[in-house]
Amino acid sequence: MRAVTVSVGFIPLVDAAPLIVAQEMGFAAEEGINLALKPAPSWSSLRDMLSFGQVEAAHMLSPLPVATALGLGGAGAKLSAVSVLSVNGNVIGVSNALAARLHDQGHDFGFNDAYKAGTALIAAAKGRLRIGVPFPFSMHAELLYYWLSALGLPAPQSVDIHTVPPPLMADAMEAGDIDAFCVGEPWGSQAVDNGVGQLLLPGSAIWSCAPEKVLAVRSDWAEQESALMGRLIRAVWRAGRWLGEPDSRMLTSELLSRPEYLDLPSDMLERALTGRLVIGPAGEERHVDGFVEFFKGAATFPWRSQAEWIGMQLATRMGLDQVMARSVAAGVFRSDLHRQALVGTTADLPGASSKVEGGLDAPVAVASEAGHLILGQNRFFDGRVFDPKGD
């Protein structure tokens, strides 16, 4: 059978791994498809590539299709998130000058305490902080707004948020355009390796189970090409399962390092996959368990409650009606299509499509189709919870 080509856009990031692995390790071929992977220079260009039909699917920031549905960031085709590609995987970094002030204050760069790191950062700031994020409607931005606002520094009123494409984040810091950043790996590590910054905190210290990237498609394409979409979802799901195995990390880093993908040293990429990050110029290393997840704990499942939390955050920040925003957002994460695609596989999917976000201090078994699903820790650093039924 001749393979059907599906064009898929991506940004060169470690969390594009499920798409790259699906193609390179034959999971796409098992579904009778060939993924034509097309890199994009920025998130806005990738959004436009998908909206205007230049690609059929895309590696996408989890809040972006929600923002599009809410009419934020310009008009575009209605988008659906049919799988989550990755959970967590971001880092917050600071310039050398800011890091020096943090050290002078006695901050230990422990890399695990968002309250301690945030209060130290606010104290070390001289004037308004200039923070780089890859896109205004991104989990990077939402984590920053949530974190700083909870610590008494209302964002964006009290900080300057700059949009910087991920591969240019280290350059922006070196040029003095930003004091700090929140970005997906390996671009935070590149700032450290280039000697222009230090890592302060992983994004997972703010929310331990944040959906970072999704597999997005145009909603009309999902309806017209439901069978093809199902094949794509299954291929990427199998790639995520493979990525969840510790033995896959070395080969994955080598695949990602190829010129057509990230074009960076494989050892830098392996740091993110193992969660062993070099945070400073002296080679100080910190280990983050579950730094980026591709499969464990139903990581691929597009929970409607995740989308509702995103919708609520966007509504609060942009002055929209929260009830409307949450309702619209819930329809963007298509748990129904994800379930349909995985019928007949070994996928153990949760029995519900929504859950309390931030309510798990430790792993817990939940009702699922096969009865073996364990969800990992899911908590916000300040102890708040988001209950889609009660908030």
Side-chain angles (χ1 to χ4, degrees), residues 107-118 147 199-208 279 286-289 377 379-381:
H107 184 60
D108 62 3
F109 282 78
F111 214 61
N112 60 357
D113 189 331
Y115 182 86
K116 186 176 181 180
W147 178 47
L199 301 186
L200 177 67
L201 200 69
S204 58
I206 300 170
W207 182 11
S208 64
I279 67 164
R286 299 287 186 270
H287 179 248
V288 182
D289 188 33
Q377 184 191 67
R379 66 180 302 276
F380 295 102
F381 85 99

Side-chain angles (χ1 to χ4, degrees), residues 19-31:
L19 295 167
I20 294 167
V21 164
Q23 177 62 19
E24 295 291 345
M25 296 301 295
F27 299 113
E30 289 178 12
E31 289 290 336

Side-chain angles (χ1 to χ4, degrees), residues 11-13 15 41-47 59-61 63-64 89-92 131-145 161-169 172 178 180-185 187-188 212-213:
I11 295 285
L13 288 158
D15 54 32
S42 68
W43 289 111
S44 58
S45 62
L46 182 54
R47 175 199 57 197
H59 162 237
M60 187 165 283
L61 299 158
L64 211 166
N90 293 326
V91 289
I92 295 168
I131 307 179
V133 299
F135 197 70
F137 307 118
S138 62
M139 189 54 67
H140 316 85
E142 299 315 323
L143 291 176
L144 283 174
Y145 292 138
I161 302 296
H162 296 245
T163 300
V164 182
L168 302 180
M169 201 67 76
I178 55 175
F181 57 66
C182 183
V183 72
E185 279 292 89
W187 304 110
E212 176 52 33
K213 301 300 188 308

Side-chain angles (χ1 to χ4, degrees), residues 3-230:
V4 177
T5 295
V6 180
S7 55
V8 184
F10 75 99
I11 295 285
L13 288 158
V14 166
D15 54 32
L19 295 167
I20 294 167
V21 164
Q23 177 62 19
E24 295 291 345
M25 296 301 295
F27 299 113
E30 289 178 12
E31 289 290 336
I33 58 176
N34 172 66
L35 303 187
L37 298 172
K38 300 183 179 182
S42 68
W43 289 111
S44 58
S45 62
L46 182 54
R47 175 199 57 197
D48 293 345
M49 287 167 63
L50 182 58
S51 292
F52 296 114
Q54 295 172 320
V55 293
E56 293 161 302
H59 162 237
M60 187 165 283
L61 299 158
S62 59
L64 211 166
V66 175
T68 299
L70 293 173
L72 301 172
K78 184 179 178 182
L79 306 176
S80 294
V82 296
S83 291
V84 172
L85 292 177
S86 61
V87 169
N88 303 327
N90 293 326
V91 289
I92 295 168
V94 295
S95 66
N96 289 333
L98 189 49
R101 294 201 293 274
L102 285 162
H103 281 294
D104 289 344
Q105 290 176 183
H107 184 60
D108 62 3
F109 282 78
F111 214 61
N112 60 357
D113 189 331
Y115 182 86
K116 186 176 181 180
T119 52
L121 177 64
I122 292 169
K126 289 185 176 180
R128 291 173 66 89
L129 279 170
R130 302 167 301 159
I131 307 179
V133 299
F135 197 70
F137 307 118
S138 62
M139 189 54 67
H140 316 85
E142 299 315 323
L143 291 176
L144 283 174
Y145 292 138
Y146 184 92
W147 178 47
L148 296 176
S149 295
L151 294 174
L153 188 67
Q157 298 93 329
S158 301
V159 297
D160 292 326
I161 302 296
H162 296 245
T163 300
V164 182
L168 302 180
M169 201 67 76
D171 293 341
M173 182 162 278
E174 184 174 19
D177 296 333
I178 55 175
D179 307 303
F181 57 66
C182 183
V183 72
E185 279 292 89
W187 304 110
S189 288
Q190 187 188 52
V192 174
D193 285 11
N194 289 0
V196 301
Q198 297 187 39
L199 301 186
L200 177 67
L201 200 69
S204 58
I206 300 170
W207 182 11
S208 64
C209 195
E212 176 52 33
K213 301 300 188 308
V214 295
L215 176 64
V217 299
R218 293 186 308 282
S219 299
D220 60 353
W221 186 85
E223 293 179 6
Q224 296 161 10
E225 299 287 354
S226 58
L228 184 57
M229 180 191 62

Side-chain angles (χ1 to χ4, degrees), residues 345-361:
T345 70
T346 60
D348 190 11
L349 299 177
S353 295
S354 188
K355 67 184 189 301
V356 174
E357 300 296 342
L360 295 181
D361 290 327

